[in-house]
Amino acid sequence: MLIIPAIDIKDGHCVRLEQGDMQRATTFSENAGETARRWKDLGCKRLHVVDLNGAFAGKPKNEAAIKQIISVMGDDVPVQLGGGIRDLDTIERYLDDGVTYIVIGTAAVKNPGFLHEACDAFPGHIIVALDAKEGKVATDGWSKLSGHDVVDLAKRFQDYGVEAVLYTDIGRDGMMTGVNIDATVKLAQALTVPVIASGGLNDLADVKRLKAVEAEGIMGVIAGRAIYEGKLDFKAAMNVA
């Protein structure tokens, strides 16, 4: 199971949000490249990057910082990137820059045809991000709750050919209250593609609980605030995973 450090970029800086709220951002580093180097040096096997400004603007906003991260990670560590990716040209540009996986969230829910086209055009490179609260999918930086059931939508997107489903419980994200294991397992059991857990990872106990259900189809977990604030030792988490 992968422990995947997250680098969320706002105005070129590495930050963490609480429950997706741009007004509740904590800056952990002014330099995204240095942050990426830190995780690479500790042995991370994949990196999760989000262009927060891009997610809210609907178009890329932090390409300079993203290129910096890619240059640090090189060919050794795959980078998965989300935030403001709304068209095939943007996907192609990022893949050409060296991003390995493109994460599509709000655009997939609002425009499933775009996700379908992306999976057809770039097979093996598309991850869909489903952010949910009480089983219902949210969009637009979590500001809007849709009527879509997360399992039903994930099954449909699986048929399109997504590489994996990134599942976030938005009630827990950035709050360090523990991963919603039950909901994550329920989703993973309904799918044949792997699930990446996200939202609320807090300590080694969470990692152990996820590791115990890895066989249900959980390939990894996003680590954010807990590893930046030192509540979760990244190296120890990797050893458990």
Side-chain angles (χ1 to χ4, degrees), residues 119-137:
C119 289
D120 286 344
F122 309 105
H125 292 284
I126 306 299
I127 293 172
V128 69
L130 293 177
D131 307 325
K133 190 171 186 180
E134 292 163 7
K136 298 298 180 186
V137 175

Side-chain angles (χ1 to χ4, degrees), residues 38 225-233:
R38 172 182 166 192
R225 183 176 288 271
I227 56 172
Y228 285 99
E229 294 191 352
K231 283 197 74 177
L232 175 64
D233 182 284

Side-chain angles (χ1 to χ4, degrees), residues 2 4 46-49 78-83 85 91 95 99-109 114-116 118-119 122-131 154 157-158 160-168 193-198 219-220 222:
L2 297 171
I4 308 171
R46 187 184 291 200
L47 191 68
H48 179 73
V49 180
V79 173
Q80 59 185 51
L81 171 70
I85 298 168
I91 294 175
L95 292 176
V99 173
T100 306
Y101 302 105
I102 298 296
V103 181
I104 301 175
T106 291
V109 181
F114 165 58
L115 179 69
H116 207 167
C119 289
F122 309 105
H125 292 284
I126 306 299
I127 293 172
V128 69
L130 293 177
D131 307 325
F157 293 161
Q158 172 178 270
Y160 290 178
V162 297
E163 188 70 9
V165 174
L166 173 62
Y167 172 68
T168 304
V193 297
V195 170
I196 300 170
S198 175
M219 69 171 287
I222 305 294

Side-chain angles (χ1 to χ4, degrees), residues 53-80:
N53 302 101
F56 283 85
K59 57 186 177 183
K61 288 289 185 181
N62 284 289
E63 283 192 79
I66 290 160
K67 285 182 176 178
Q68 194 181 18
I69 290 168
I70 293 164
S71 70
V72 166
M73 302 318 262
D75 296 328
D76 309 334
V77 182
V79 173
Q80 59 185 51

Side-chain angles (χ1 to χ4, degrees), residues 1-47:
M1 188 176 75
L2 297 171
I3 305 294
I4 308 171
I7 297 182
D8 291 359
I9 305 169
K10 179 176 184 262
D11 306 329
H13 302 150
C14 174
V15 305
R16 293 302 295 164
L17 305 185
E18 289 184 18
Q19 296 181 308
D21 187 343
M22 288 286 265
Q23 304 307 312
R24 295 158 75 191
T26 305
T27 300
F28 286 104
S29 169
E30 303 289 321
N31 188 308
E34 283 178 11
T35 305
R37 169 71 61 195
R38 172 182 166 192
W39 301 127
K40 184 179 183 181
D41 289 347
L42 284 171
C44 86
K45 300 285 188 278
R46 187 184 291 200
L47 191 68

